[in-house]
Amino acid sequence: GDMDGFMALLALLFTVGADFFLVALKEEQWLPGMALFCCAQLCWALRLWGMEDGRRRLSHALTWACVCGTLLVVAVILARGADPVLLMGAVYASFLVTTVFFSYLTPRNLLFTLGMTLFLGCDLFVAVNNAALYLDLSAYPLLKTLHDIPFNMMWAFYGPSQMLLSLSSAGGKR
């Protein structure tokens, strides 16, 4: 319906805004970029919630309430001295994983589920590439192997994910 299309459009606009801060600017602005990606994930989650009905809708809402509540507690505990970008990354990751999880439980829109799954694949490579800033990757052979792939795997997942998510609001409810 109209709300479905509006939430998809809003999520895509937040994504474009996040990309502006993370890709288009000469110097990456991680905090506003991650905050906008969190807003995009909330829009995708609300869109998915609108696709559900009955008990599943209630369980989805309760799960999101628990995720947000847990993150709020973690934020309060870690606020003193915590890296705000890491904290925002953790919030974003929990939103993304929750949305992907529920997209599989709500199989009404295959394009949406595939798009969110590819989005997760993209962001796994973003995480691996940024892990090098915080970890000695030689101690983690799998992370080092993924980090050293001579192709930017993020973009291999990102473009198709955005295309599928866009198409998912154009009648992909089968």
Side-chain angles (χ1 to χ4, degrees):
D2 291 340
M3 187 54 84
D4 181 70
F6 176 73
M7 293 312 293
L9 177 62
L10 198 55
L12 291 168
L13 288 174
F14 279 127
T15 299
V16 168
D19 287 339
F20 173 77
F21 285 105
L22 296 173
V23 179
L25 294 178
K26 275 186 179 180
E27 191 170 316
E28 298 163 334
Q29 300 292 315
W30 282 98
L31 202 53
M34 292 301 299
L36 288 172
F37 266 134
C38 285
C39 291
Q41 282 305 314
L42 285 173
C43 290
W44 290 125
L46 288 170
R47 181 172 178 237
L48 181 61
W49 187 67
M51 293 179 204
E52 296 175 336
D53 55 9
R55 262 193 250 156
R56 190 165 287 166
R57 189 176 228 195
L58 178 61
S59 68
H60 189 163
L62 290 173
T63 301
W64 266 100
C66 289
V67 166
C68 292
T70 302
L71 289 172
L72 184 60
V73 169
V74 169
V76 168
I77 292 170
L78 296 178
R80 295 181 181 172
D83 181 340
V85 173
L86 274 180
L87 190 57
M88 189 64 69
V91 169
Y92 170 73
S94 65
F95 286 176
L96 176 62
V97 168
T98 302
T99 302
V100 171
F101 174 77
F102 277 103
S103 75
Y104 279 91
L105 296 180
T106 309
R108 292 197 174 131
N109 193 320
L110 181 60
L111 295 177
F112 180 79
T113 301
L114 293 174
M116 289 308 300
T117 303
L118 289 174
F119 212 166
L120 178 62
C122 167
D123 286 338
L124 287 173
F125 278 98
V126 170
V128 166
N129 283 341
N130 287 298
L133 300 172
Y134 298 94
L135 302 171
D136 174 13
L137 293 186
S138 63
Y140 304 94
L142 177 60
L143 291 181
K144 177 133 180 64
T145 300
L146 293 173
H147 181 270
D148 293 344
I149 292 174
F151 175 76
N152 191 334
M153 292 299 293
M154 294 174 276
W155 294 109
F157 287 93
Y158 186 74
S161 77
Q162 296 308 294
M163 181 190 65
L164 289 170
L165 290 170
S166 298
L167 291 173
S168 74
S169 68
K173 299 193 182 335
R174 286 179 225 158

